[in-house]
């Protein structure tokens, strides 16, 4: 059975949950998936493919996603890789394909990523932090769409299973 690493970088838990949904969808499609925080992963040994996701903060991927790419660039370059971001605090991510943040686009090119998706984000109305509390005053809510995430992950599973036969 193919083993897939789903690594995520999340500040407030929204992206972590998206990673869990991806892991569940991959398992339902017959793959073996480990969902883990990017900062806790020592290496990619034993994994046949990777999905890496980060929350978007100030137009950039969460730092742990960026560090992960730097530390594991070689291993990632030798495996099929998919990337995802989570951010927009409105319904745009469900309605259209969002242009990649420039830093994430660079990573996608560098790793020759098989695909990338930007999913909606989540921010609680009582979010802590100077900037977060300001943003939450005008755009709090949960804009993640589990169906969209599951469909994207099912596509990854189809590609990987197709490659394995
Ligand atoms: C301070 C701050 C800055 C943010 N900047 C962006 C941004 O540049 N682009 C974007 O799409 N979303 C942005 N967001 C929304 C977050 O990406 C969204 O809340 C996401 O779901 C957070 O994920 P997490 O719960 O995994 O940390 C920002 C949110 C906060 C609080």
């Amino acid at each position: 059975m193919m083993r897939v690493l789903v690594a995520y970088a999340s500040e407030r838990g929204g992206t972590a949950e998206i990673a869990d949904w991806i892991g569940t969808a991959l398992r339902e499609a017959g793959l073996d998936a480990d969902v883990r925080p990017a900062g806790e992963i020592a290496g990619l040994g034993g994994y046949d493919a990777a999905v890496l996701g980060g929350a978007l903060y100030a137009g950039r991927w969460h730092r742990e996603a960026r560090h992960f790419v730097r530390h594991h660039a070689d291993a990632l370059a030798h495996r099929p890789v998919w990337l995802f971001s989570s951010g927009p605090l409105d319904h745009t991510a469900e309605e259209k394909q969002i242009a990649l943040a420039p830093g994430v686009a660079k990573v996608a090119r560098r790793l020759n990523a098989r695909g990338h998706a930007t999913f909606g984000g989540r921010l609680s109305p009582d979010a802590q932090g100077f900037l977060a509390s300001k943003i939450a005053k005008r755009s709090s809510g949960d804009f993640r769409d589990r169906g969209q995430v599951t469909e994207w992950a099912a596509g990854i599973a189809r590609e990987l299973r197709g490659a394995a036969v």
Side-chain angles (χ1 to χ4, degrees), residues 45-59:
Y47 293 108
D48 302 298
V51 180
L52 171 64
L56 291 171
Y57 281 95

Side-chain angles (χ1 to χ4, degrees), residues 21 37 104 126 129:
W21 295 342
V104 182
D126 58 358

Side-chain angles (χ1 to χ4, degrees), residues 72-156:
H72 302 290
D74 270 1
L76 287 166
H78 289 96
R79 289 167 173 77
V81 172
W82 283 262
L83 310 176
F84 71 93
S85 303
S86 171
L89 295 171
D90 56 29
H91 289 287
T92 50
E94 289 162 66
E95 291 156 5
K96 59 176 183 178
Q97 210 157 355
I98 308 268
L100 296 194
V104 182
K106 205 166 148 189
V107 170
R109 282 195 299 273
R110 182 172 166 201
L111 298 180
N112 202 12
R114 301 282 185 98
H116 177 279
T118 300
F119 301 117
R122 178 187 74 176
L123 190 64
S124 145
D126 58 358
Q128 302 296 302
F130 178 72
L131 269 177
S133 57
K134 277 192 158 186
I135 295 171
K137 279 205 181 85
R138 55 181 159 78
S139 30
S140 65
D142 189 350
F143 300 94
R144 302 165 307 156
D145 175 347
R146 184 166 185 168
Q148 186 189 20
V149 172
T150 298
E151 203 178 301
W152 184 71
I156 293 176

Side-chain angles (χ1 to χ4, degrees), residues 64-77:
E64 279 178 17
R66 290 185 272 121
H67 289 179
F68 185 84
V69 169
R70 269 204 298 283
H71 289 147
H72 302 290
D74 270 1
L76 287 166

